[in-house]
Amino acid sequence: MQRMNIATDTRSRIIAAAKPRFHSRSYANVGIQEICESAGVQKGSFYHFFPSKRDLVMAVIDEFADDWAHGFVAEAFDPALPPMERIDYLIDAAYFWQKSIKEVHGRMLGCIFGNLTLEVSTQDDILRAKLLAIFTRAKSRFRVTLEQAVATGIIPPLDTALTAEAMLAYLEGVILLAKAQNDPEVLYRLGPAIKTLRIETGKV
Amino acid sequence: MQRMNIATDTRSRIIAAAKPRFHSRSYANVGIQEICESAGVQKGSFYHFFPSKRDLVMAVIDEFADDWAHGFVAEAFDPALPPMERIDYLIDAAYFWQKSIKEVHGRMLGCIFGNLTLEVSTQDDILRAKLLAIFTRAKSRFRVTLEQAVATGIIPPLDTALTAEAMLAYLEGVILLAKAQNDPEVLYRLGPAIKTLRIETGKV
DNA sequence: TTGGTAGATGACCGTTCGGTCAAAAAAATC
DNA sequence: GATTTTTTTGACCGAACGGTCATCTACCAA
């Protein structure tokens, strides 16, 4: 809203320090002290910007979501692409992203939204709601794509909402298995099968 | 091996106390102290049976794997059932299990193997290997089923190994999304679509 | 009867956890 | 220039963390 020049720079540095840590480890395993040291910030200063650790991770979730929305996802769900190619593109993007992370980091880190969901969603309903909102948005990206594919006759009619949800689930599951093997190639092998998923409409 | 009567009872009590806690929360969030109190065991006694927390969670993983192998999974992958019905059965079993957990516990806890995988597999390669072995066994259950389905002509030929892996991924992904929504009905809605997954053979 | 050993006890270790707070410094407002 | 607000500092809190250890108890076999 107001100043924004160097004032909130501290806040940004905290988030920047937290992002890779939450992504590569876990919520519980990353401490505020470590984040503060890495960001060159005092603990009292941290709590001036974030009421709690949960608020920090929520900000981190938002930033990751923005990164995706303006990066891979924006490219993948480009309306100029034929609908089904967008899904190919998304799988490709996920694969190359995880692969590059592994090359740099030595490990496949997977999807931070999936990671956090399985770690905290039984313990913190507010975080669960936050993560659910991310998934809901992702689902609607798939749904819109499927609707266009059906409308243009590229694929036979199906329940776009349910199939979209199934595709999102499959993507998360593939990333999970890839992480278990610490091998992004799993994404390459299994990813394309996402387009074979189908849930028919009108099962009364 | 030797006595086994009441001697190792302490060990069993520790595992019994740990199981629901690791399942319903997370690895990092469950402390040894809490487990000891719940099991009525002294800390020094704990470390007499388990060299470390990691060894405890490995024992817990083994017990969960045994529970599954002798429970739902044994029923689902009954050779007497037609191959594709086994998969239906498994999905059903997963649904009813999660549903009953939610009714008792108030929350969907999901799959402990998936939970632990996303939490610890970047931090502990030994645990990751342990979990990977569980997934590998599950995958081969699917593969054998698919092989029989193909052999008996119930379904058209496909790459059984890859499709099996895809199905396992899908199952884990569906459970993840269900946990994000704290709603086992997601399993009911999305589960059956697992049979639509197909990866063709011989993509050279 | 004497060791040996498996098991249980409970105090103790250093470290880290998330979070608080009063005071000082810096910046913005009047 | 005075005042108010934002930001920073660093010490501090109690609790919990995973893990250790010397000691004691029970039971076994020789």
Side-chain angles (χ1 to χ4, degrees):
Chain A
M1 278 3 182
Q2 46 276 54
R3 64 231 70 82
M4 186 79 67
N5 13 18
I6 36 174
T8 52
D9 168 70
T10 300
R11 193 186 135 97
S12 305
R13 286 211 318 280
I14 292 171
I15 294 177
K19 274 174 74 178
R21 285 174 171 79
F22 283 134
H23 192 197
S24 71
R25 312 230 289 283
S26 72
Y27 179 62
N29 197 61
V30 176
I32 277 137
Q33 187 169 309
E34 176 191 347
I35 290 168
C36 288
E37 280 164 13
S38 157
V41 163
Q42 226 63 27
K43 212 183 216 176
S45 215
F46 173 94
Y47 280 97
H48 175 74
F49 290 102
F50 300 97
S52 71
K53 188 184 184 182
R54 180 212 271 159
D55 292 274
L56 169 65
V57 87
M58 296 231 272
V60 166
I61 291 168
D62 278 331
E63 281 226 358
F64 267 104
D66 283 355
D67 291 350
W68 269 91
H70 300 118
F72 295 136
V73 173
E75 291 172 30
F77 289 105
D78 179 358
L81 284 174
M84 286 298 119
E85 286 184 26
R86 296 176 209 166
I87 293 176
D88 285 327
Y89 194 113
L90 184 76
I91 297 288
D92 258 34
Y95 165 60
F96 284 113
W97 188 47
Q98 295 293 330
K99 193 176 170 182
S100 78
I101 286 177
K102 178 167 181 188
E103 275 159 13
V104 171
H105 189 281
R107 290 215 145 79
M108 244 218 52
L109 305 184
C111 169
I112 194 180
F113 309 122
N115 297 350
L116 287 174
T117 294
L118 292 197
E119 182 183 358
V120 307
S121 63
T122 55
Q123 304 173 52
D124 189 323
D125 271 327
I126 292 174
L127 282 182
R128 187 176 63 74
K130 180 102 194 167
L131 292 158
L132 178 55
I134 303 281
F135 286 132
T136 302
R137 239 187 304 164
K139 184 167 66 179
S140 88
R141 296 280 202 152
F142 278 105
R143 200 195 62 242
V144 168
T145 302
L146 288 173
E147 278 166 3
Q148 292 181 16
V150 169
T152 53
I154 298 174
I155 59 170
L158 43 69
D159 189 319
T160 53
L162 281 183
T163 305
E165 199 173 6
M167 285 181 169
L168 178 60
Y170 181 66
L171 177 57
E172 285 294 328
V174 168
I175 294 173
L176 186 152
L177 279 198
K179 191 171 175 182
Q181 301 180 45
N182 192 27
D183 184 7
E185 299 305 316
V186 176
L187 258 163
Y188 185 81
R189 293 200 305 263
L190 303 184
I194 193 174
K195 291 194 296 186
T196 69
L197 277 167
R198 282 187 57 87
I199 300 184
E200 307 293 334
T201 73
K203 41 166 55 186
V204 184
Chain B
M1 271 20 171
Q2 47 277 53
R3 62 234 68 83
M4 186 83 65
N5 13 18
I6 37 172
T8 52
D9 168 69
T10 301
R11 192 186 136 98
S12 306
R13 285 211 319 280
I14 292 171
I15 294 177
K19 274 174 74 179
R21 285 173 171 79
F22 282 135
H23 192 197
S24 72
R25 311 229 291 280
S26 72
Y27 179 62
N29 198 62
V30 176
I32 277 136
Q33 187 170 310
E34 175 191 348
I35 290 169
C36 288
E37 281 165 12
S38 156
V41 163
Q42 227 62 28
K43 210 174 212 185
S45 216
F46 173 93
Y47 281 97
H48 176 73
F49 290 101
F50 300 97
S52 70
K53 186 183 185 183
R54 180 213 271 159
D55 292 276
L56 168 65
V57 86
M58 296 230 272
V60 166
I61 291 169
D62 278 331
E63 282 226 359
F64 267 104
D66 283 355
D67 291 350
W68 269 91
H70 300 117
F72 296 136
V73 172
E75 293 172 28
F77 289 105
D78 179 358
L81 284 174
M84 285 299 118
E85 287 184 24
R86 298 176 210 167
I87 294 176
D88 285 327
Y89 194 113
L90 184 77
I91 297 289
D92 259 32
Y95 164 60
F96 284 113
W97 188 46
Q98 295 293 330
K99 194 177 170 181
S100 78
I101 287 177
K102 179 168 179 188
E103 275 160 11
V104 171
H105 189 282
R107 290 216 145 79
M108 246 218 51
L109 304 184
C111 169
I112 194 180
F113 309 121
N115 297 350
L116 287 173
T117 296
L118 292 197
E119 182 183 358
V120 307
S121 65
T122 56
Q123 302 173 54
D124 189 323
D125 271 328
I126 293 175
L127 282 182
R128 187 175 64 75
K130 180 101 194 167
L131 292 158
L132 179 55
I134 303 281
F135 286 131
T136 302
R137 239 186 304 163
K139 183 167 67 181
S140 87
R141 296 280 202 150
F142 278 106
R143 199 195 62 242
V144 168
T145 302
L146 288 172
E147 278 166 3
Q148 291 182 15
V150 169
T152 53
I154 299 175
I155 58 170
L158 44 68
D159 190 319
T160 54
L162 282 183
T163 305
E165 199 172 7
M167 286 180 168
L168 178 60
Y170 181 65
L171 177 57
E172 285 294 330
V174 169
I175 294 172
L176 186 152
L177 278 199
K179 192 171 175 181
Q181 301 179 45
N182 191 29
D183 184 6
E185 299 305 317
V186 175
L187 258 162
Y188 186 80
R189 292 199 306 261
L190 303 184
I194 193 174
K195 291 194 296 184
T196 69
L197 276 167
R198 282 188 57 88
I199 300 184
E200 308 293 334
T201 74
K203 41 165 53 185
V204 183

